[in-house]
């Protein structure tokens, strides 16, 4: 079983998001980066499959500038066997179709049985990359996996639907599955894993040019038209004002 | 036609977000002098065609095929792709539903045409249209442009356009055909099901105290529980709190959890991502406590406190008791 896991490096949920001077993208200085949340679950799912079957290979793949080697190392430290870094220095790549083309070209010859990716990146939020890659490589696809079960060339996926519903879908391998958060409990890297990661191979791929089909023209902080009553002061004053609002304005106490 | 709207079947009814796409299409059509058609497919195509034909659109395309009687991503992607190739619209509109997330990226790959997703706004810019989407978990907006002559695949976020504004009319219905065979469908689906609710029904609660990742760690969750008790409300949460196992999934509010509309929704350390907001924006009063003054939750809050929930919540419970 050969499993690819796409791990993206994205700004952490507490990171500042400074917009650059021509408003075309963020100013990368000052951003603190982490592994995209659902990619962490995707990696854990792959590692568990490998461990249960006691055979196979987990390959983490990330596309971006050199800084993304940090999430690659994290993946290796958790137990991935090797990595592919698709090097790309442009910082405002917001086109899933061209990114997916680069991924598909880089991994076509690897003939993975499974590709796991996150259902959506926390920065761009496109929710497409893994499905497009699967389609390009002629694989079965499924999105929003909340559980996976493997047996004899078939993967069964519990897909999340709207409003608390689920559905089991089965398909033959190879398959590209996008993973929803919450389907397992991602591990932390062990000290041994961190040491071992240093010796693992990262294959660096430098793609040539590519077509861009959509791009971000301008990024900005949204303006709110809602009139929010802001409650300010010391903690005690805030508490008093909240109780007062609960009692006299919202009338819930 | 210039705009093709793909209508989603919600158990024999037009999905609410399909109606919202009609409003979006009518808005663009008015601006640019475009014509509109809507595509209905699947086992309820007849009923859907009748419903959609009551709107001000040029025509309804009806696609019936045995292999489309139940949803599969392969079948739907192939079907829409063939209709798009035959009809060559400039734009193909969808509501950004879970089903659309599942199959439309495949159409994008098949046609090598971009899919601009989850838009909250669109504006003309000369002959082009700029589509605005949320990025960075709703903290920023991004104006997106397509660099392709189309057909462009476009989806709209829930409630970006109001279905109340869809103009009525009477459209003709035309049958369309495609070539589909079972070898093209690689997945087999079982029936949808719901997990046990565990007796937590938040939909009738008057007061909901909801915790987000900002509560920090599992040991802090009882603090919110105490507040819920002190104020006579129910405890709920955002998804990360459930994912981490701090509360059971029956507490989750949002697109994949419960939808609630209490008299007061107290959001503690919740950022206000759209998938959470769709489940609680109908609340009569939204009170948000968040340490980040730029958190998107303040865009929909009636009352806001910029502060630390760990400091405020225990004192608030005390004051209420
Ligand atoms: C298909 C799909 C379905 C989804 N379904 C759901 C769903 O049903 N429900 C749901 O909730 N989410 C859902 N999500 C996830 C959603 O996109 C967000 O990731 C999630 O809602 C974020 O939860 P949060 O606000 O608790 O966490 P975060 O976004 O991490 O926000 C934490 C907030 O806490 C604040 N904070 C931190 N510390 C403190 C402190 N001490 N005091 C005060 N404030 C503090 C921070 O400023 C931040 O705003 C879904 C996502 C997808 C893609
Ligand atoms: N630059 C990237 N590097 C690694 N993985 C990526 C990258 N972009 C997208 N992905 C993967 O595709 C998923 C969906 O991304 P998106 O389509 O941007 O929402 C992410 O969760 C990742 O698993």
């Amino acid at each position: 079983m050969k499993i690819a896991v796409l791990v993206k490096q994205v700004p952490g949920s507490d990171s500042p998001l400074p917009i650059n001077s021509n408003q075309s993208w963020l100013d990368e200085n000052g951003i603190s980066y982490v592994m995209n949340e659902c990619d962490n679950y995707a990696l854990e799912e792959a590692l568990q499959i490998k461990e249960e079957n006691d055979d196979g290979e987990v390959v983490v793949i990330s596309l971006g500038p050199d800084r993304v080697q940090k999430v690659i190392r994290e993946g290796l430290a958790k137990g991935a066997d090797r990595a592919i870094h698709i090097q790309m220095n442009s910082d405002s790549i917001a086109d899933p179709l061209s990114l997916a083309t680069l991924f598909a070209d880089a991994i076509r010859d690897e003939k993975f049985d499974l590709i796991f990716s996150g259902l959506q990146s926390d920065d761009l939020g496109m929710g497409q990359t893994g499905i497009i890659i699967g389609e390009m490589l002629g694989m079965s696809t499924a999105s929003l996996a909340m559980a996976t079960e493997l047996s004899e060339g078939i993967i069964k996926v519990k897909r999340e639907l709207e409003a608390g519903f689920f559905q089991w879908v089965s398909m033959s391998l190879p398959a590209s599955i996008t993973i929803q958060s919450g389907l397992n409990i991602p591990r932390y890297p062990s000290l041994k894993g961190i040491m071992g990661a240093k010796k693992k191979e990262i294959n660096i791929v430098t793609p040539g040019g590519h077509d861009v089909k959509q791009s971000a023209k301008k990024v900005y902080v949204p303006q709110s038209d809602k009139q929010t009553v802001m409650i300010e002061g010391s903690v005690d004053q805030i508490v008093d004002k909240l109780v007062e609002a609960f009692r006299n304005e919202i009338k819930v106490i | 036609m210039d705009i093709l709207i793909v209508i989603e079947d919600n158990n024999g009814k037009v999905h609410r977000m399909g109606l919202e796409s009609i409003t979006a299409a009518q808005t663009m059509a008015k601006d640019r002098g475009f014509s509109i058609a809507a595509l209905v497919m699947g086992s309820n195509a007849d009923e859907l065609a009748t419903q959609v034909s009551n709107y001000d659109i040029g025509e309804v395309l009806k696609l019936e095929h045995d292999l489309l009687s139940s949803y599969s991503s392969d079948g739907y992607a192939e079907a829409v792709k063939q209709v798009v190739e035959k009809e060559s619209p400039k734009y193909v509109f969808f509501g950004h539903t879970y089903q659309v997330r599942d199959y439309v990226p495949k159409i994008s790959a098949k046609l090598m045409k971009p899919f601009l997703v989850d838009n909250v706004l669109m504006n003309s810019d000369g002959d082009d249209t700029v589509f605005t989407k949320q990025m960075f978990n709703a903290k920023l907006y991004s104006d997106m442009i397509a660099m392709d002559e189309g057909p462009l695949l476009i989806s709209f976020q829930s409630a970006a356009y109001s279905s109340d504004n869809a103009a009525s009319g009477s459209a003709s219905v035309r049958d369309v055909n495609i070539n589909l065979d079972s070898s093209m469908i690689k997945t087999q689906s079982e029936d949808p099901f719901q997990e046990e609710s565990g007796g937590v029904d938040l939909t009738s609660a008057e007061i909901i105290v909801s915790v987000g990742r900002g509560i920090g760690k599992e040991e802090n969750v009882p603090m919110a529980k105490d507040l819920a008790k002190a104020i006579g409300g129910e405890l709920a949460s955002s998804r990360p709190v459930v994912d981490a196992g701090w509360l059971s999934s029956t507490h989750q509010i949002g697109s994949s959890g419960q939808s609630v509309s209490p008299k007061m929704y107290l959001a503690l350390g919740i950022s206000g991502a759209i998938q959470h907001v769709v489940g609680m924006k109908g609340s009569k009063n939204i009170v948000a406590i968040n340490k980040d003054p730029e958190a998107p939750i303040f865009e929909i809050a009636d009352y806001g406190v910029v502060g630390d929930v760990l400091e405020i919540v225990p004192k608030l419970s005390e004051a209420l008791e």
Side-chain angles (χ1 to χ4, degrees), chain B residues 12 115 284:
Chain B
F115 180 23
K284 317 273 168 319

Side-chain angles (χ1 to χ4, degrees), chain B residues 119-136:
Chain B
N119 296 292
V120 293
L121 266 178
M122 63 179 167
N123 282 299
S124 337
D125 174 23
D127 275 349
D128 279 337
T129 300
V130 174
F131 293 92
T132 304
K133 87 182 289 295
Q134 296 176 327
M135 281 198 180
F136 301 94

Side-chain angles (χ1 to χ4, degrees), chain A residues 5-9 36 38-39 42 61-64 68 93 96 99 103 116-130 133 178-179:
Chain A
V5 184
L6 310 189
V7 292
K8 186 172 188 181
Q9 193 188 39
N36 191 49
C38 43
D39 302 1
I61 307 176
S62 193
L63 182 152
V68 308
I93 5 179
L99 294 191
F103 276 110
F116 282 169
S117 57
L119 86 150
Q120 127 173 354
S121 55
D122 286 334
D123 51 356
L124 303 181
M126 296 294 182
Q128 311 173 46
T129 309
I133 297 169
T178 76
I179 304 286

